[in-house]
Amino acid sequence: ISLLDSSGLLLRTLWRVEARDPGFRAGGVLTLRTWLPLPKYQKTADRAQFYDRVLTRARVLPGVRSAAYASFVPMAMGGGIWPVTIPAAPPPSGPRPTVSLRYVTPGWFATLGIPLRAGRDLGDGDAADRPYVAVVSESFARRHFPGQDAIGRRFNVAFADRTIVGIVGDVRGRGAERDAEPQVYVPHRQVPDGWLSFYAPKDLALRADGDPTLLLPALRAIIHEIDPAQPISNVRLLDDIVGAQLAPRKTQLVMILGFAALAFLLAAIGIYGLLSFAVSNRAQEIGVRMAVGASPARILATVLGAVLALAAVGALVGGAAAWAAGRSLEALLVGVSPSDPPTLAAALALVLAMTLAGSLAPAWRASRLDPAQVMRAE
């Protein structure tokens, strides 16, 4: 019962995680990494020139709908967390609030299918000599400016004061199982030379009609022509990145399901053997009962009644053990209680049904015993 209940809890968790909206559309998106080396790309303008040349040529490839660069692709990197300060806000009682920070090129939201809720997207005009701006997620706006229009508000992040010019949908950037955290997207050009080079855009995302992997040779050629010494790595479909987030959960589920199926089979075999042995030991008693007038239906009901009584006791003990085992899985569950009543009830019902099925054949044989043959054998 414990293994069946654990399998059910993980199965429901997997279903809930897969049903969660990641906040972006992964289908048809190819990603690859060009980590620009220092000191060759120490200056922000040099990096921006590289991005512009790659994106200009990539966007005109056949079937390409959009392309953009960002610091990190969602679900591919769990870091990028920065403290944020809101002017005129009361000082926090605990640690400073944090956000997930990404430097992006124009077109990032369109490429990943992240909806723009209000304001505008980042553009090429958001350069280092212009006012520093940012696009924030809905969760950021709700947390720091509840009930207010966040457009035009100012805050400080990554050593710079910025003005909010747009609001986009939330993205589960650090995993499908995590709730979406506040996110801040800033223009790739608004980084002082030599600052935060680790956060410089490095992941190219390209959305295309059809199979985007067919464009990989052309992309390699484009990057090689622009910078022959620039290596390419981490070539993946965004669908595969999302799938990799669920792979450990599926492995856990397969393993526990395998153990549960084995336990279920062994229990069924054991119950059948035990009941067959019990019926054979009670053959004389059953024969006497039938000799004095007990009907086959009465014998069948007697055997099944004894089986169900034992099964009820086992279900109570097994249910308690399953509840305790479920508590140990709490860290692996998402949106599912470790003492989930429907899952526990389903596990108990399945075990009781298996017990009843395993007892039918011995009970049926007991009801068909010939009293005369039993008495002569004794």
Side-chain angles (χ1 to χ4, degrees):
I1 294 175
S2 296
L3 285 170
L4 288 172
D5 182 54
S6 298
S7 300
L9 291 173
L10 288 177
L11 184 62
R12 291 195 66 188
T13 293
L14 181 62
W15 178 80
R16 285 179 178 270
V17 170
E18 287 187 324
R20 280 187 160 193
D21 181 11
F24 57 88
R25 292 184 288 110
V29 177
L30 176 69
T31 70
L32 58 85
R33 178 162 294 179
T34 54
W35 199 306
L36 302 181
L38 302 177
K40 183 177 182 178
Y41 290 98
Q42 181 77 21
K43 294 184 177 181
T44 301
D46 293 337
R47 293 197 297 270
Q49 184 180 34
F50 175 85
Y51 304 142
D52 290 344
R53 294 178 66 187
V54 171
L55 293 174
T56 298
R57 297 181 60 179
R59 287 167 179 163
V60 298
L61 291 175
V64 173
R65 299 172 61 183
S66 59
Y69 266 97
S71 302
F72 306 104
V73 173
M75 299 190 185
M77 197 274 186
I81 305 302
W82 275 83
V84 63
T85 301
I86 309 297
S93 56
R96 290 175 61 189
T98 59
V99 297
S100 176
L101 179 67
R102 297 291 185 269
Y103 285 88
V104 301
T105 65
W108 178 251
F109 306 120
T111 302
L112 264 68
I114 302 173
L116 181 66
R117 303 300 191 191
R120 66 171 179 87
D121 194 354
L122 301 174
D124 290 324
D126 296 317
D129 58 348
R130 302 296 299 276
Y132 276 27
V133 298
V135 170
V136 302
S137 64
E138 290 179 295
S139 57
F140 180 97
R142 286 194 303 268
R143 174 178 296 183
H144 298 292
F145 305 102
Q148 308 174 50
D149 183 6
I151 302 296
R153 302 283 182 165
R154 294 183 61 80
F155 67 99
N156 182 282
V157 69
F159 315 118
D161 291 328
R162 298 185 177 275
T163 301
I164 299 174
V165 296
I167 301 174
V168 296
D170 287 317
V171 171
R172 300 187 189 279
R174 293 206 288 165
E177 298 181 2
R178 291 175 175 264
D179 292 332
E181 57 197 354
Q183 292 124 10
V184 172
Y185 304 89
V186 298
H188 70 291
R189 299 178 188 273
Q190 293 185 340
V191 183
D193 292 340
W195 281 36
L196 304 175
S197 58
F198 179 76
Y199 289 91
K202 56 185 66 67
D203 286 339
L204 169 64
L206 183 144
R207 178 176 293 277
D209 297 322
D211 184 1
T213 58
L214 299 178
L215 300 172
L216 183 56
L219 284 173
R220 289 185 182 276
I222 290 172
I223 294 172
H224 180 75
E225 290 178 14
I226 294 172
D227 185 351
Q230 175 60 48
I232 296 174
S233 63
N234 293 47
V235 179
R236 293 178 291 178
L237 291 172
L238 192 52
D239 270 329
D240 294 337
I241 295 175
V242 175
Q245 287 286 324
L246 301 176
R249 179 74 59 194
K250 291 181 178 179
T251 301
Q252 296 165 358
L253 180 61
V254 169
M255 290 183 62
I256 293 185
L257 277 176
F259 286 125
L262 181 60
F264 190 80
L265 177 61
L266 291 176
I269 295 173
I271 288 173
Y272 177 81
L274 178 63
L275 292 177
S276 296
F277 179 74
V279 168
S280 65
N281 280 349
R282 296 180 61 188
Q284 184 180 14
E285 174 197 341
I286 294 173
V288 171
R289 287 174 177 268
M290 298 185 72
V292 297
S295 65
R298 179 58 180 246
I299 297 298
L300 182 65
T302 300
V303 175
L304 290 180
V307 169
L308 291 178
L310 290 174
V313 174
L316 290 176
V317 176
W323 182 87
R327 307 297 298 182
S328 67
L329 293 175
E330 191 167 6
L332 302 177
L333 304 179
V334 177
V336 178
S337 169
S339 55
D340 185 55
T343 303
L344 183 58
L348 289 170
L350 187 59
V351 170
L352 289 175
M354 178 268 293
T355 303
L356 183 61
S359 65
L360 285 177
W364 180 260
R365 285 203 305 272
S367 68
R368 290 296 180 267
L369 286 176
D370 184 347
Q373 289 184 357
V374 172
M375 300 301 292
R376 281 197 299 270
E378 292 297 330

